[in-house]
Amino acid sequence: MFDIVIRNGRIADGSGLPAFDGDLGISRGRLVRVGGKLTAKARHQIDARGRVVAPGFIDPHTHFDAQLLWDGQARPALEHGVTTVVHGNCSLSLAPLKVEHRPKLVRMFQQIEEMPDAAFDGAFEWSWESFADYVAALRGRVALNVAPLAGHSPLRMWVMGPDAQKRAAKPDEIRAMQDLLRACLEAGAVGLSTSYVDMDENLAPVPSRYAHVDELDALAAVLGEYGRMLQVVPEFYNTDLSVARVDQLAELSLAHGIPTTFSPLFDSAAIPDNVPRVLERVAEQFARGARVWPQVQTRPIDISFSLDVASLYWIGLPMWYLILRLPREQKLAQLRHPGTRKALIDAVAASPDPRRLDSLRVRDSRDTSLIGRSLGELARERGATPADVLIDLSLAEDLGVHFLAARLGHEDPSRIGPILANDLVHVGASDGGAHIQSFATYGDTGYLFSEFVRQGHHLSLEHAVRKITGDTAQIWGMSERGLLREGMAADVVIFDAEAIARGDELPARDMPEGGMRYVRSATGVDCTIVNGEIAWTAAGGYTDARPGVVVNARA
Amino acid sequence: MIADATVAPGHDGQAVLVVRLRHENGAFDTVTLDADQARALLEECAASSAADLRGQPWRRLLRVLEQPTDRED
């Protein structure tokens, strides 16, 4: 008898080979039969007729570190078919971490990943200092698999204390960091993350940025002992520096036999040669035998803002930009002043793009009926201009209304599709669980299918599945996952190939203490199974199962 | 000198300013500024808009880049 049999599905097994019709048998957390007709009984039977049966999706770039401790289901990742998440990216992890360093690290998380106080303060019990104890705190709590990275910044803080943000490490300190990293890897860390970009809450570089090349080389040597990943945030805003980092990672990869990955890498009409130049160098380094995986996200990038802050969105309208840079009370007075208001509206009308405000949408407002509506629509209803509406809505809520200028970057499918299809591109960089009060970091997997499989035909269904399952598992060395093969872990997602997509971005107040974040629900996903247990279904929602494990990885 | 400057979305959903530089040998390069840096560059150049930055010397940009910033990944 099977625990679960999934019958009549179209099996896309994660290899990229053509999908085929058949059944899937699961017992004791493993796939025991893949394909053919299964007649044996099962505790659960799922009819997947007309649906795709695929390996659970793997998200290689998240910041669910804290959320997993108060929401072991990492909502809404499971709803999107994600069964494994890599967290601890960008030099930041919650372990190893001495008690006295907790406040400092929390402030860094809050600054860099835009996480609210409530995500840390009282939302969970800090029961660890070591990586092993952190991993123990996750066990039995998580509904999806976790693949934690050890962060370079807390590693430095542990060994160097306050000097971690002042200077390069001495030889004995480097040796101590090597020993500490070794302990993390022994405890289940899938690699090390570091950053060349991020700043702390005081605008000081994070600890990892004070490391000299010999320190990173020594740590990469330890990764080489275990065949584990080095994740890096390069200077993604500068193409030349990004190319230089590709070269640096290639040398570390070759010297120590490790895989490396960097993120983010994204396309922009303002810098059209950025991705092509970086990928050209990546290809050169792969040809040398290095492993340097660029992570590219699927979703377009939006700009969000409120009038409370002078966003650069307004730099093309000098009068707006000038007014919005005023101190708050002066700004409010100017926006209320009839003469200033008329001048602002006239400035939009006289600009080279007088309809630029029409497509702005309300992202968040106390008046929920406004959310998602465009200023153009609202202006027509009110017999006003979009600029009038923008000002009125903002003043009505003390500048607290947020607006969205959608799809302003990484938005051209004819450019993004071929990038995602490139065999040297690692589909990822979702940032799940981060920037939660700015935009939703969920649903990139659904968007891959809706935009680049169904709409643009840049990838076949099987290719898209492979990019976020089999390829990801291979890149990270998750040898038991990413494929539907007998003996593999039973991480499975069942979805409708004609419907899978990301839902609308909506504000939700489901953080600890009622805090707000943006989320997206899933469309077209029927069921998510983790290690042979049903974790979520579209019909029944989340189950009580907590089948997630800390994954084994050796690349 | 600064050839032009355009607004683009940053990784974190905030608008950034992409400044294109033209070198003496005719080559072009780009530098991406966050909101604070862009504001500082406008002040450094006594400019009121992105368009006003055209033709400004690159040394003014260098002075802005030497200040701390709060880029986020």
Side-chain angles (χ1 to χ4, degrees), chain A residues 203 305-316 318 320-327 331, chain B residues 2 5-7 14-19 31-50 52-53 60-61 63-65 67-71:
Chain A
L203 303 189
F305 59 86
S306 71
L307 297 194
D308 198 27
V309 176
S311 167
L312 286 174
Y313 177 81
W314 297 104
I315 201 169
W320 282 79
Y321 192 53
L322 182 70
I323 298 290
L324 295 177
R325 286 160 59 193
L326 293 172
K331 182 188 327 188
Chain B
I2 295 174
T6 54
V7 174
Q14 304 299 308
V16 297
L17 189 68
V18 178
V19 179
V31 177
T32 306
L33 305 183
D34 64 22
D36 291 338
Q37 291 173 319
R39 191 174 304 134
L41 181 62
L42 288 176
E43 289 170 5
E44 182 74 30
C45 298
S48 60
S49 73
D52 294 343
L53 295 173
R60 290 184 174 158
L61 176 60
R63 280 197 279 273
V64 168
L65 291 173
Q67 303 304 312
T69 179
D70 67 342
R71 285 188 192 285

